């Protein structure tokens, strides 16, 4: 008699412990994916395009297609493909595409359209709380997915393994020393340090340089990304020579000419 395949297990998450704005967003996402099929299917080959794009010399830019946010409200009614093409012309190395609908005005179609039209690796930017979200990211053509240690906690390593099973790179995001310790233990190859405290929305541009230095001192040899709050070349100067890449959303997305704003921001 043939045995049925083992049920994929759902790593336990303690989402009720996530405070503030982030806590509200992840509990909504958990309701959205309640009962979703956690099966990942067969192993998919890893192209590592997102990781490679961030390894060029100098500071690579991940430009974010962000139409709205809890901190800013409506930012701009961007056409995702037009925005992606403009970011590419302006010098972006990779894209971040929001798929969360309620607070960021994102949509899965935006990711699918961008992947189909623009030859840059794209990150699915969402609040991953279920394996189905990673399967979707791979199905929709993303090169990478965001994994937030503030949300996944001890389950970060399990989600990282699932992302790799699906052939995805993972941007493992931290905001504090204890989260960085978990990210380092998880085996992450790409760590993002968010300057924005996602429970209060307060931005402190000193967070990225501090934690990026700590990661390097701890011997981390992977890719390090500084995230959030960057508006000017002087802001970026604070992480040049330290970070491999920077993730920028609001300041670019809200500008009149996205390609020119991208060029201006990257000017040294
Ligand atoms: O941007 C927000 O207001 C926000 C609120 C709650 C959870 C996440 C949030 N943003 C996610 C990000 O970290 C940013 O989209 C990304 O790093 C770009 O930041 P920025 O350049 O400041 O838009």
């Amino acid at each position: 008699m043939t045995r049925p395949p083992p049920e994929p297990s759902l790593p336990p998450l303690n989402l009720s412990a996530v405070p503030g704005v982030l806590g509200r967003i992840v509990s909504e996402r958990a309701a959205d994916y309640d009962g979703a099929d956690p099966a990942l299917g067969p192993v998919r080959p890893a192209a590592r395009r997102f990781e490679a794009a961030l390894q060029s010399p100098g500071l690579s830019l991940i430009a974010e297609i962000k139409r709205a946010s809890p901190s800013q409200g409506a930012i701009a009614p961007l056409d995702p493909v037009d925005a992606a093409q403009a970011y590419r012309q302006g010098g972006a190395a990779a894209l971040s595409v929001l798929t969360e609908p309620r607070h960021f005005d994102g949509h899965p179609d935006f990711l699918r359209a961008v992947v189909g039209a623009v030859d840059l690796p794209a990150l699915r930017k969402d609040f991953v709380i279920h394996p189905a979200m990673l399967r979707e990211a791979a199905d929709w053509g993303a090169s990478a997915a965001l994994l937030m240690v503030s949300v996944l906690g001890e389950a970060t390593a399990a989600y990282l393994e699932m992302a790799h099973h699906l052939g995805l790179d993972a941007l493992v995001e931290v905001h504090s020393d204890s989260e960085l310790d978990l990210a380092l233990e998880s085996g992450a190859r790409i760590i993002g340090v968010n300057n924005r405290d996602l429970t209060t929305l307060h931005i402190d541009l000193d967070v990225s340089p501090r934690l990026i230095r700590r990661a390097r001192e701890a011997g981390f040899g992977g890719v390090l990304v500084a995230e959030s709050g960057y508006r000017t070349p002087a802001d970026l100067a604070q992480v040049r020579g330290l970070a491999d890449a920077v993730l920028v959303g609001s300041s670019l997305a809200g500008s009149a000419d996205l390609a020119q704003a991208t060029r201006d921001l990257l000017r040294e």
Side-chain angles (χ1 to χ4, degrees), residues 15 82 185 188:
L15 299 183
D82 290 350
E185 283 163 24

Side-chain angles (χ1 to χ4, degrees), residues 43-242:
V43 172
R44 303 190 202 188
R48 298 235 182 112
R49 284 185 68 216
F50 187 77
E51 182 180 5
L54 309 185
Q55 287 172 322
S56 312
L59 188 68
S60 302
L61 172 68
I62 309 166
E64 187 156 277
I65 297 170
K66 186 174 186 183
R67 292 158 47 115
S69 74
S71 9
Q72 307 255 319
I75 298 172
L78 300 177
D79 175 274
V81 170
D82 290 350
Q85 279 163 346
Y87 284 152
R88 188 181 192 285
Q89 284 160 17
L95 301 165
S96 166
V97 185
L98 277 146
T99 53
E100 193 283 338
R102 294 183 190 84
H103 303 272
F104 295 86
D105 195 15
H107 197 283
D109 287 348
F110 297 170
L111 178 57
R112 282 190 284 247
V114 163
V115 168
V118 182
D119 185 29
L120 286 182
L123 170 81
R124 178 184 186 184
K125 190 78 184 295
D126 208 317
F127 298 82
V128 169
I129 44 72
H130 194 287
M133 298 178 83
L134 295 175
R135 192 185 61 236
E136 289 173 345
D139 289 347
W140 299 340
S143 296
L146 177 70
L147 300 179
M148 300 168 74
V149 177
S150 54
V151 172
L152 301 174
E154 299 281 346
T156 301
Y159 274 84
L160 183 65
E161 205 175 308
M162 290 188 265
H164 290 164
H165 174 106
L166 289 159
L168 294 168
D169 292 330
L171 174 59
V172 177
E173 183 179 289
V174 304
H175 177 70
S176 67
D177 288 89
S178 56
E179 289 175 10
L180 176 61
D181 290 339
L182 273 177
L184 293 170
E185 283 163 24
S186 75
R189 304 172 60 90
I190 310 172
I191 296 179
V193 180
N194 204 329
N195 292 311
R196 180 180 282 116
D197 178 333
L198 300 183
T199 62
T200 63
L201 305 185
H202 174 72
I203 288 177
D204 175 357
L205 293 188
D206 291 339
V207 173
S208 280
R210 188 176 71 75
L211 290 184
I212 284 173
R213 278 197 187 91
R214 247 209 71 203
R216 287 294 182 227
E217 282 161 15
F220 179 69
V223 173
L224 285 160
V225 183
E227 302 176 19
S228 298
Y230 295 104
R231 312 189 70 81
T232 67
D235 293 339
L236 293 195
Q238 298 177 40
V239 288
R240 278 191 191 278
L242 270 182

